[in-house]
Amino acid sequence: MAEKIIVVDDEKEIAELVTTFLRNEGFQVEPFYDGTSALTYLEKETVDVAVLDVMLPDIDGFQLLQNIRKTHFFPVLMLTAKGEDLDKITGLSLGADDYVTKPFNPLEVVARVKTQLRRYQRYNQSAVPQKIEEYEKEGLLLKINSHQCFLYGKEVFLTPIEFKILLYLFEHQGSVVASETLFEAVWKEKYLDNNNTVMAHIARLREKLNEQPRKPKLIKTVWGVGYIIEK
């Protein structure tokens, strides 16, 4: 299936010109003339490359880029005005992969799109993460597939909620996980103020893992924030 590209430029002649040249190379291309419609499209569709003009009528290209980078990692090319070096620096610092200066030859845009696609596809093929099957720390072994927990070789029987809490903390090992985040990730409900559910389950989990409440080795408290399993 052909790669899908969006072209966002309020100058319709430029957007349609770039669209035509990219379509002639076999790409699926959707042109947009403002940032809002492009964002709406991205909420529903998978895209492989975006070509964005810096100057747009509603939100500028930098704001659009920032919104894209919140959830997407595909290559982004910025179209900048001649001599606007600051635009180039700003775009690259916000996550753009390349830029083309106006006025440009449409064939240059096509060439740069192809280059970014090759890099992106090659990177994704070589960076397939290995699936983690277990976590181990401080004598504790957590087996994900079998939902088992062992402490110095002896099985510790955890409830499904306790297992999910421990797994989530291991998945974010080295980072402090806020109580609200942990609650919403495990219970799949909105966290409400003065909710002591997480604290109570952490206390029970520590008890099962023979942790000292005041000096736990595994699940540590960051007061006023949440919990952490250190690396």
Side-chain angles (χ1 to χ4, degrees):
M1 183 177 291
E3 291 90 347
K4 189 178 292 183
I5 300 170
I6 61 168
V7 176
V8 189
D9 196 316
D10 64 327
E11 295 184 67
K12 292 190 177 183
E13 288 185 3
I14 293 178
E16 290 170 4
L17 182 65
V18 173
T19 295
T20 298
F21 272 78
L22 288 169
R23 283 177 178 167
N24 287 342
E25 294 295 319
F27 296 114
Q28 294 184 55
V29 189
E30 294 292 336
F32 297 95
Y33 311 113
D34 61 79
T36 303
S37 57
L39 284 175
T40 301
Y41 181 82
L42 286 171
E43 290 175 0
K44 300 176 288 186
E45 299 290 336
T46 300
V47 169
D48 298 290
V49 179
V51 180
L52 315 178
D53 186 25
V54 170
M55 300 300 292
L56 294 171
D58 48 357
I59 59 174
D60 65 37
F62 299 136
Q63 290 175 293
L64 178 55
L65 173 61
Q66 286 179 297
N67 276 289
I68 288 174
R69 281 292 177 253
K70 289 177 182 178
T71 51
H72 301 287
F73 302 98
F74 52 72
V76 176
L77 280 76
M78 303 296 294
L79 304 179
T80 66
K82 185 177 181 179
E84 293 294 334
D85 291 336
L86 182 60
D87 283 352
K88 300 170 187 177
I89 295 169
T90 302
L92 293 172
S93 67
L94 292 175
D97 298 277
D98 201 356
Y99 61 86
V100 180
T101 303
K102 292 182 176 181
F104 53 78
N105 185 327
L107 291 175
E108 180 184 1
V109 178
V110 172
R112 289 177 181 263
V113 165
K114 288 182 176 180
T115 298
Q116 291 301 326
L117 266 174
R118 283 196 299 270
R119 289 176 180 171
Y120 182 66
Q121 291 166 349
R122 187 162 58 241
Y123 173 81
N124 281 346
Q125 288 171 358
S126 62
V128 177
Q130 293 184 341
K131 187 177 180 181
I132 297 175
E133 296 182 353
E134 60 184 40
Y135 290 98
E136 188 171 4
K137 184 176 176 65
E138 300 290 347
L140 182 139
L141 176 64
L142 193 69
K143 292 191 172 185
I144 298 172
N145 293 334
S146 61
H147 277 236
Q148 288 178 294
C149 178
F150 297 88
L151 186 62
Y152 298 110
K154 184 178 180 180
E155 186 166 7
V156 178
F157 295 98
L158 304 179
T159 67
I161 289 292
E162 290 166 348
F163 187 90
K164 287 180 181 178
I165 290 173
L166 199 53
L167 177 59
Y168 192 86
L169 290 173
F170 266 120
E171 288 174 339
H172 298 80
Q173 191 171 351
S175 300
V176 179
V177 178
S179 299
E180 305 96 284
T181 302
L182 188 56
F183 179 86
E184 291 177 3
V186 172
W187 277 268
K188 307 298 182 185
E189 297 176 10
K190 187 68 178 175
Y191 182 88
L192 301 176
D193 290 339
N194 301 318
N195 189 332
N196 294 320
T197 304
V198 172
M199 185 172 64
H201 278 78
I202 291 288
R204 179 60 178 157
L205 192 51
R206 283 173 172 164
E207 184 181 331
K208 288 188 176 183
L209 299 177
N210 296 328
E211 291 260 78
Q212 295 182 21
R214 295 184 180 276
K215 291 185 178 181
K217 291 183 178 180
L218 185 69
I219 305 174
K220 297 187 177 181
T221 300
V222 179
W223 295 108
V225 183
Y227 304 93
I228 184 174
I229 293 180
E230 295 177 340
K231 286 190 175 181

